[in-house]
Amino acid sequence: MPSSKTYDYLALLIAALCAYLLATVGTHKKLSRSSSSSSSTTSSSSGGIVWGPRTDKATGISFAATQDFTTGKALTLVGVGTRKKAILNIYSLGVYVAKPLLQQFSTAERCTAIIHSKSPKAVQLTFAMGIGPEKIAEAVSGLKDVDPTVRQEFHDMLIQGLGGGKMLKGESMTFEWKGLDSISVTARGKKIGTMKHKDLAKGVLSLYVGPQSVSPSLLHDLHCR
């Protein structure tokens, strides 16, 4: 009959074996999760991201997964954010791009790709509060690197197109780009006008997706910072 020491040794051996098996299973699970995560990242970076409708959590305003604009059909929503002023949420914005631009996301930083691409794109503003046309025009047309005459022409186009009344809560306006030198504006579903000027087009786009964006939360959502 085995001695008590033999039983103790066997018990220790079994306990060590169990500990080893548990550690092996845990390591395998971690590796599986890591592999899965890596696979997901690879899929996303190769253009396999599944885009869909989004809601700005700060305002509760929702954006459709795709929309038609005057500059392109079925553009895809790629990011949302909030324009804040002090503690006020002024509007939510959604960025839409064409498929050729989506494909560039796998090889270039997203905001850089958006600014430099000739593909159609749009920024939709949906207001979380009422705001007058003069305020909107001043905020959008005050671009330092654009010729003053061009700025004034754009300002006047916005004022005339928006009319005398406020943009009400829930109403939308869009800025739309085709190529690098054309910007179109719509409000309440109606086209206000189009201007062809490269600095103006780039300047307005940079207000939203440039390094000094009026919506840091949009840059974060786009993974640009």
Side-chain angles (χ1 to χ4, degrees), residues 145-156:
D145 296 329
V146 179
D147 181 272
T149 303
V150 176
R151 288 204 312 259
Q152 188 61 49
E153 184 180 349
F154 189 59
H155 174 277
D156 294 345

Side-chain angles (χ1 to χ4, degrees), residues 67-219:
Q67 283 204 65
D68 293 340
F69 296 90
T70 63
T71 53
K73 302 295 184 182
L75 301 192
T76 300
L77 179 69
V78 294
V80 300
T82 314
R83 170 58 168 142
K84 300 178 72 72
K85 194 82 171 180
I87 62 172
L88 298 176
N89 295 323
I90 308 299
Y91 56 76
S92 294
L93 59 162
V95 177
Y96 289 83
V97 304
K99 287 184 179 178
L101 182 48
L102 273 180
Q103 295 167 358
Q104 294 180 36
F105 284 1
S106 62
T107 58
E109 193 267 345
R110 292 181 184 179
C111 287
T112 300
I114 292 170
I115 289 174
H116 294 290
S117 173
K118 294 182 180 180
S119 296
K121 54 218 170 221
V123 174
Q124 177 182 320
L125 315 183
T126 300
F127 289 86
M129 59 180 291
I131 184 168
E134 189 66 42
K135 290 287 186 183
I136 297 172
E138 287 178 358
V140 176
S141 61
L143 304 169
K144 296 179 181 179
D145 296 329
V146 179
D147 181 272
T149 303
V150 176
R151 288 204 312 259
Q152 188 61 49
E153 184 180 349
F154 189 59
H155 174 277
D156 294 345
M157 184 184 81
L158 292 174
I159 292 293
Q160 183 177 354
L162 291 171
K166 289 183 175 182
M167 288 294 292
L168 302 178
K169 180 178 180 179
E171 290 186 330
S172 298
M173 68 182 297
T174 66
F175 297 98
E176 307 171 25
W177 294 263
K178 193 169 187 178
L180 297 176
D181 63 351
S182 177
I183 178 170
S184 299
V185 186
T186 72
R188 306 181 186 96
K190 295 182 179 181
K191 187 173 180 178
I192 289 177
T194 298
M195 285 188 63
K196 290 185 72 69
H197 192 279
K198 188 173 182 178
D199 290 342
L200 175 67
K202 182 179 180 180
V204 177
L205 183 57
S206 295
L207 280 177
Y208 302 110
V209 298
Q212 304 301 317
S213 171
V214 298
S215 177
S217 58
L218 175 63
L219 295 188

